[in-house]
Amino acid sequence: MTSLRQRTLGLTLLVFGLSVLVIGYISYRYAAQEIEELYDASLSQNARLLEGFLRAPLPEADRDVLLESLARALSEAEGASERADSPLYESHRYESPLVFQLWEGDSLLLRSTAAPTAALNRQPPGYSSLEVENQAWRVYTLSVPETDRRVVVGEREDVRDELIARVALRTLMPDLLGLPLLTALLWWSIGWGLSPLSRMAEQIRNRDPNNLKPLSREPLPLELATIAGALDRLLERVGRLRAREKRFIADATHELRTPLAVLDLHAQNALAADNAEDRGTSLTLLRDGVARATRLVGQLLTLARLDPDVDAPPAARRIDVAFETRETLAKLSPLAAKSGHQLLMNVDPHASWQMDEEPGAIETLIQNLVGNALQHAPSQTTVTVTLKADAKTVTVLIDDQGPGIIESERLRALERFQRAGPGAGAGLGLSIVGRLVTRHSGELSLEDAPDGGLRVRAVLARHAAATPS
């Protein structure tokens, strides 16, 4: 892949080259126009010089001698311009060969050697362009006042155009010759400008994979400071995820060590049993232990999924809370019947129970709250689930007839791994529910149930999409 330095240099040279072409073309046209005007001005100056000779108060014979001498000098200069080794005349590279004709009426009085034999005086006074003897000419015609004489001064268009092109092109040569030097300077300056990026890349490349500390905060350009800030935030998130992973492993190790040891003990007892009755008892205990361990693993995974450090929850979906609650209670009915409990649901059938839910949130919430109630409430008692709704919230109330939790311990009961009483679970159910409620912009509280026992109140925002903690 092309380096950033090469891409920047290529783009810069492309923009510079196009700019030079456009500016060069405009400069060429402007220079050519200005040089054209200078040569035209030279034509008029020479014409007026010849006019001065014609109007000089000299005898006619002396004037003719003077004009012939001028024609001879111009002829010698034209011949010398074609001989580079001529020691007598040194012409300038931008000097344009000048020709003239002097007319009186229709009679040609005098012409320079290089002038065409054909008449150039058929044009009106001033500047004009014409073709004579298959050559294009630029001429200036000047009428001598109070006489019938005319001065015609001209230059060949091809010679003039060649000189104009030579002069104009020489103005562009510095740009063309300076392009390699400019390329080298741009290459160096771009490299110098990108050197902080190279140092940052080297710092990241040589960094220990376990080092999640922020990058070095040496003075950086604004763009790199933004990138460094984004990388620091990424490192911070990675650090939180690694801490979350370590916490999950530590929690799982801590919570599963005892259940697995108990399972191993039941298995050993079953293997060592002398009769079928003892073996059956050990296997029953083993099966119950597997069920508890499975539920613990499920709760640990749910807790990890709901960890506040997780980037974002799944997209919310629209559900009917009453329907979801009824379906979940139907799944829990066998468990309630087995433990000798009765499940009761109170819901207003005419109320609206639509809300935005993180997929599976209501089912998980009901399973954990009702599961806790079944575990703590005495057998042959009722666990009641009541739904209430208003314009903004949906409230879930879970009432049991168990021993309850004293008020001073209720806040601690919402923390993970906080158990209440003998035979309690892993202490994860209320922690999972608390995180679900928080992700739905709600509140979780523990209260006294009207008929004794514990009431868990979960208030969920009806129309708020699920948001991370």
Side-chain angles (χ1 to χ4, degrees):
M1 181 178 291
T2 305
S3 69
L4 186 61
R5 189 178 190 181
Q6 292 173 332
R7 285 165 56 90
T8 305
L9 179 63
L11 181 61
T12 303
L13 290 179
L14 177 62
V15 172
F16 177 78
L18 292 177
S19 302
V20 167
L21 287 178
V22 174
I23 296 173
Y25 175 76
I26 296 174
S27 300
Y28 175 82
R29 298 298 302 172
Y30 180 78
Q33 181 180 356
E34 291 296 316
I35 296 171
E36 284 271 10
E37 293 181 1
L38 286 175
Y39 278 131
D40 284 346
S42 176
L43 286 179
S44 65
Q45 277 187 327
N46 289 321
R48 295 190 185 280
L49 178 63
L50 292 174
E51 178 198 13
F53 287 148
L54 291 177
R55 297 180 63 181
L58 297 173
E60 196 67 24
D62 293 342
R63 182 181 292 107
D64 292 342
V65 171
L66 179 61
L67 292 174
E68 289 178 2
S69 175
L70 176 61
R72 186 167 51 254
L74 289 174
S75 174
E76 291 175 351
E78 291 167 3
S81 65
E82 298 176 358
R83 301 189 304 272
D85 57 346
S86 174
L88 299 178
Y89 298 96
E90 182 178 356
S91 62
H92 196 276
R93 67 169 67 92
Y94 298 142
E95 182 179 344
S96 178
L98 180 70
V99 300
F100 70 89
Q101 292 179 346
L102 302 179
W103 292 83
E104 185 169 6
D106 293 332
S107 300
L108 178 64
L109 298 180
L110 185 67
R111 73 178 181 87
S112 60
T113 304
T117 56
L120 299 176
N121 67 328
R122 307 204 182 274
Q123 302 299 320
Y127 296 103
S128 57
S129 298
L130 68 157
E131 185 171 341
V132 177
E133 298 176 356
N134 297 324
Q135 291 287 345
W137 292 84
R138 178 70 171 173
V139 299
Y140 179 78
T141 303
L142 178 65
S143 296
V144 180
E146 300 176 357
T147 67
D148 194 23
R149 294 181 175 179
R150 293 181 305 283
V151 178
V152 182
V153 182
E155 292 174 332
R156 281 173 49 184
E157 289 277 15
D158 58 338
V159 176
R160 172 187 278 212
D161 291 343
E162 180 182 351
L163 294 175
I164 290 174
R166 189 186 306 169
V167 172
L169 287 175
R170 287 179 70 89
T171 62
L172 302 178
M173 288 303 295
D175 292 336
L176 298 177
L177 295 177
L179 188 60
L181 177 61
L182 177 65
T183 302
L185 290 175
L186 284 175
W187 180 263
W188 175 83
S189 60
I190 293 173
W192 180 83
L194 294 177
S195 58
L197 180 60
S198 300
R199 290 195 297 270
M200 177 183 288
E202 186 68 19
Q203 179 184 353
I204 296 174
R205 186 163 45 247
N206 296 331
R207 195 178 185 87
D208 190 305
N210 296 317
N211 183 6
L212 299 179
K213 295 180 180 179
L215 297 175
S216 174
R217 285 298 185 174
E218 62 182 28
L220 291 174
L222 178 61
E223 295 79 5
L224 286 186
T226 303
I227 296 176
L231 286 174
D232 287 344
R233 289 191 294 273
L234 176 61
L235 291 173
E236 182 181 356
R237 289 167 56 194
V238 171
R240 291 201 306 267
L241 290 175
R242 290 187 60 181
R244 167 175 166 256
E245 179 183 352
K246 292 179 180 179
R247 186 168 62 245
F248 174 78
I249 293 174
D251 292 343
T253 302
H254 176 267
E255 294 301 318
L256 290 175
R257 182 182 293 113
T258 300
L260 290 178
V262 172
L263 292 178
D264 182 65
L265 179 60
H266 291 323
Q268 293 180 26
N269 290 337
L271 292 174
D274 295 332
N275 53 67
E277 183 179 356
D278 292 340
R279 186 178 301 108
T281 301
S282 298
L283 290 177
T284 300
L285 294 174
L286 178 61
R287 186 184 62 182
D288 293 341
V290 170
R292 286 193 299 270
T294 301
R295 184 170 184 270
L296 174 59
V297 170
Q299 288 185 317
L300 284 171
L301 293 175
T302 301
L303 195 65
R305 180 176 63 84
L306 298 176
D307 194 286
D309 291 331
V310 174
D311 288 345
R317 65 175 183 176
R318 197 74 172 168
I319 63 156
D320 185 307
V321 179
F323 176 80
E324 290 289 333
T325 302
R326 191 176 293 111
E327 290 292 310
T328 305
L329 290 178
K331 297 176 183 178
L332 294 173
S333 295
L335 180 62
K338 182 179 179 181
S339 59
H341 293 89
Q342 182 181 1
L343 297 180
L344 179 63
M345 179 177 176
N346 296 324
V347 60
D348 182 357
H350 302 293
S352 172
W353 299 106
Q354 298 294 315
M355 71 165 284
D356 296 328
E357 176 220 39
E358 178 181 333
I362 295 299
E363 180 179 1
T364 303
L365 183 146
I366 297 297
Q367 283 182 348
N368 279 277
L369 292 181
V370 174
N372 279 351
L374 294 177
Q375 189 172 14
H376 292 89
S379 180
Q380 308 304 318
T381 58
T382 301
V383 175
T384 305
V385 179
T386 304
L387 299 183
K388 296 183 179 181
D390 57 30
K392 295 183 178 180
T393 63
V394 172
T395 301
V396 180
L397 301 175
I398 309 293
D399 295 333
D400 64 42
Q401 297 174 349
I405 302 176
I406 60 176
E407 188 172 354
S408 60
E409 296 293 326
R410 289 174 183 173
L411 289 179
R412 291 185 65 250
L414 298 177
E415 300 175 3
R416 61 181 184 172
F417 304 119
Q418 295 298 322
R419 299 170 175 84
L428 296 176
L430 287 177
S431 179
I432 291 172
V433 171
R435 291 189 183 177
L436 283 173
V437 170
T438 302
R439 290 164 77 96
H440 287 76
S441 304
E443 295 180 358
L444 179 66
S445 60
L446 304 181
E447 307 169 2
D448 291 327
D451 297 330
L454 181 69
R455 165 175 282 184
V456 181
R457 180 188 298 269
V459 182
L460 307 173
R462 180 190 289 271
H463 298 295
T467 56
S469 303

